[in-house]
Amino acid sequence: MLEYMSVREAAEKWGLSERRVHKLCQDGRIAGLIRFGRSWGIPRDAEKPDDARRVDGGTLHTNDSSDGNLTELLGPDAKLLVQSEAFAAFQLENETGNGIVTVYGAFPGVQLMYNDLHLSKITGHDDRTAPPAAEFLVINHCREGRFECELSHGECGYLSDGDMSVSQMPPPMKNSCFPLSHYHGISIMIDIEHFSEHLGRA
């Protein structure tokens, strides 16, 4: 008879957080998984899933960030163009213009994004209501162009040539835009819990 373990037991066995194991269960990445209401039954002989992730129908091996956060950040305008074990490139296109975002996995839980944009708005940036599946710290640096946003509590944020910002993702925004239809810069996305787990093993 097949024996099952709880999410907590699997987390201890695999050296992961319970939240991470819950996410693996929700994504169906554990063989033989069964569900009991809100709880999961994980086969005791199940192996820890590797770090391959699904992004828009393809596997992104660059890191182990939570599914949905990258595509949530880029919004419905994003289309996966190129993908390998080293990087993934997305094209963003809507009625205001187009752009390319190239994503690299720098470390486990850390993504480096190169943003080359020639549009005034990214669809969906101001429509997020659900909290992200993981807590992210985002560092942005603008090399050229301008980004503006109005936060939900009334404050405004701006990034222009040479500016840098540090924030949690996704910030609650009411309005956001690239008023010059021109933005080049980098973003570093850090899945705080996942990065901390791997940092503790180094």
Side-chain angles (χ1 to χ4, degrees):
M1 181 177 178
L2 187 62
E3 295 185 358
Y4 293 89
M5 58 183 170
S6 67
V7 167
R8 175 175 293 180
E9 291 173 314
E12 292 175 356
K13 179 179 178 180
W14 295 337
L16 300 174
S17 69
E18 290 184 39
R19 183 171 72 174
R20 180 69 187 132
V21 175
H22 268 292
K23 187 72 175 94
L24 293 171
C25 292
Q26 290 171 356
D27 296 340
R29 295 187 53 213
I30 302 173
L33 185 71
I34 59 173
R35 185 164 191 169
F36 305 101
R38 294 186 178 183
S39 301
W40 298 95
I42 301 169
R44 287 200 176 275
D45 60 354
E47 295 184 4
K48 176 183 174 182
D50 60 27
D51 283 353
R53 306 302 290 163
R54 302 292 297 178
V55 178
D56 283 355
T59 302
L60 176 61
H61 296 271
T62 52
N63 62 39
D64 197 24
S65 297
S66 297
D67 284 339
N69 285 287
L70 181 57
T71 50
E72 179 184 346
L73 176 68
L74 298 178
D77 297 333
K79 176 183 177 182
L80 183 63
L81 290 180
V82 180
Q83 181 178 323
S84 72
E85 292 190 1
F87 75 97
F90 295 84
Q91 180 178 29
L92 278 65
E93 187 170 12
N94 58 36
E95 66 277 3
T96 70
N98 58 66
I100 297 290
V101 175
T102 308
V103 186
Y104 294 87
F107 303 99
V110 180
Q111 290 177 327
L112 174 62
M113 305 170 64
Y114 287 88
N115 308 296
D116 297 297
L117 308 175
H118 296 93
L119 42 71
S120 62
K121 191 172 183 65
I122 296 177
T123 305
H125 258 201
D126 306 325
D127 301 329
R128 291 189 293 252
T129 56
E135 184 179 359
F136 276 76
L137 184 68
V138 182
I139 303 170
N140 286 295
H141 178 265
C142 173
R143 181 169 60 87
E144 294 179 8
R146 186 174 178 86
F147 171 74
E148 298 180 359
C149 68
E150 179 185 353
L151 304 178
S152 59
H153 48 72
E155 295 182 357
C156 295
Y158 307 92
L159 276 179
S160 59
D161 297 3
D163 289 344
M164 185 175 73
S165 71
V166 180
S167 63
Q168 285 187 305
M169 175 263 180
M173 293 184 290
K174 294 169 63 177
N175 296 292
S176 62
C177 66
F178 302 92
L180 304 178
S181 295
H182 178 79
Y183 184 90
H184 297 277
I186 63 170
S187 300
I188 301 173
M189 294 177 56
I190 304 171
D191 181 332
I192 297 172
E193 184 173 359
H194 186 54
F195 179 66
S196 298
E197 289 174 355
H198 282 265
L199 194 64
R201 297 176 200 157

